[in-house]
Amino acid sequence: PQVKNFAVWDYVVFAALFVISSGIGVFFAIKERKKGTSREFLVGGRQLSFGPVALSLTASFMSAVTVLGTPSEVYRFGASFVIFFIAYTFVIILTSELFLPVFYRSGITSTYEYLQLRFNKPVRYAATVIYILQTILYTGVVVYAPALALNQVTGFNLWGSVFATGIVCTFYCTLGGLKAVVWTDAFQMVVMIVGFLTVLIRGSTYAGGLHNVLEHATNGSRLNIFDFDVDPLRRHTFWTISVGGTFTWLGIYGVNQSTIQRCISCRTEMHAKLALYFNLLGLWIILVCAVFSGLIMYSYFRDCDPWTAGFISAPDQLMPYFVMEIFATMPGLPGLFVACAFSGTLSTVAASINALATVTFEDFVKNCFPHLSDKLSTWISKGLCILFGVLCTSMAVAASLLGGVVQAALSILGMCGGPMLGLFTLGIVFPFVNWKGALGGLLTGITLSFWVTIGAFIYPAPDSKTWPLPLSTDQCVLSNVTKSVPQEQSTRPAIADTWYSLSYLYYSAVGCLGCVIAGVFISFITGLQHGKDIQPLLIRPVGNLFCFWSKKYKTLCWCGVQHDSGTEQENLENGSAWKQGAESVLQNGLRKESLAHVPGYDPKDESYTNMALEKVTHF
């Protein structure tokens, strides 16, 4: 069918999104011009409250890949995607109770600073380089994939939207810093929900109400949600989504600079935890909206699947195609949906640019030039935002040349996120792991996850494991559709039908578990870390949960770390535990400034707060 082009009103609605986003950047640039420090620019002066941070986290988490990809997944494979409800819950609980307290109380700005405090510089730099490469590549795909899908269905200019996204994100990141990113994300989150709701309301009226949608979905086997088959090669089962999904998203969420940076910018640890739990509510809302959009789309197209019929060339285009169909007589509303998809893109890209600038500044620039003035630091931070904005937009151009590699590039989050999750888990949960174990574990995890992901890309899983549910073209008016001839199977090695056919949701688990097992094993061979050399603030043994009743077993879990020289609260209030080991950490190459970042305990709020930082920033 012919491409239904955007009307003038669609462009007006879409342009409004970009104008308001840029305006927020200008507002914060003017409002914060007197506070010209890099700390203000990169972590918002650590004075943000939980509301906007929660909205910001949800918006960044839900890229356009979610807005366009999840409904088409549900349309083709059924509503089992809703089981991510469980994975998201585990991810948020683990992030807020295990990882966040360690990062927040140690007063770091870059999560990779933690790796230097706990291990040494080489471990920190290895992790930082992997993170930078992963984020640039992923951001390029996030910009390109939705632009391509929208271009092919709505006639929306492909390169115009790619460059507009890159320029606007770079603009408000560079002008307003983290505060602009957070508040713009909060606005974009509202746009995403409004966009989804218009599709849900209009789509369900077309289908004759929600009961009809559910009836059609049941008849089409779309509501067979719980499949307890334990076969790890099956693409989506209860176990792959709940277990594999938890590992995948924890790698992206729990130890990711972009997430942790916004949490440590909160004024107290309690605010940071509240931001995470309120963000969980946002994740559930977006997930339910996306799943219902997929079911409504199935109800609408049940007798004429535009993908099988050849009206569109990729499943990603289903959602925009559906929107152009149902809003054909309502100019402005397709523009609202496109704004919804691009809100996901803008928020993800902006968060990535800001996180990349922070990591590069904290991990490389500050270490090479420790005595920079505040003004120069801020200008360098802004320059880094521009540099990464250009790199991420250029990566989108490269993604267009990769063709089918878009799916592979999305797996990069699992490939790199899993080993990173394993590395931080080694540092926080296992006090006896030394730097050799950490580095060896990281390399092992990266090797395993790259091996399985690249293998799966070269030898895709057999159709029996990934075949979509039945789709009908009975009522279609087919135009010159050629029947696809099944391709001859090339010779496949035996490993292709086992290891390479593993569900893509397990890639992160493979990297994480490989890293943890290798790290523990290498540490035992090369000599365990001495507990007295580790600050109690830097670890959080999970054994604590099970050994609270026995002092003997609790001491055993801490492996010699001096955790019992007073309560953790007392240690934090007077900073004694931290300062005892300050000299040994300084020899490890860390500057005094970050050692002084000891967040204090506020008895009124019963929480650790950043306010104490102001008092102890200088010795």
Side-chain angles (χ1 to χ4, degrees), residues 76 121 156 183 224 274 302 322 402 425 492 501 603 607 612:
R76 291 162 61 225
K121 273 188 177 179
F156 197 70
W183 281 101
N224 301 342
L274 282 172
R302 69 188 184 284
F322 174 58
L402 298 175
T425 305
R492 288 163 66 89
S501 296
S607 170

Side-chain angles (χ1 to χ4, degrees), residues 263-313:
C263 289
I264 59 177
S265 68
C266 289
R267 59 173 67 121
T268 66
E269 189 181 327
M270 186 60 75
H271 270 270
K273 286 188 175 180
L274 282 172
L276 282 167
Y277 285 114
F278 273 94
N279 145 66
L280 178 59
L281 201 60
L283 297 184
W284 287 344
I285 291 168
I286 295 274
L287 180 65
V288 168
C289 286
V291 168
F292 269 103
S293 297
L295 295 176
I296 289 169
M297 199 155 62
Y298 174 72
S299 173
Y300 185 84
F301 288 132
R302 69 188 184 284
D303 295 324
C304 176
D305 169 39
W307 182 46
T308 319
F311 297 160
I312 55 173
S313 58

Side-chain angles (χ1 to χ4, degrees), residues 3 12 41 93 218 266 336 362 367 390 397 475 480 489 491:
V3 170
V12 169
F41 183 80
I93 292 171
T218 309
C266 289
L336 179 65
E362 290 291 329
N367 269 332
V390 171
V397 179
Q475 306 291 317
N480 305 334
Q489 281 290 322
T491 52

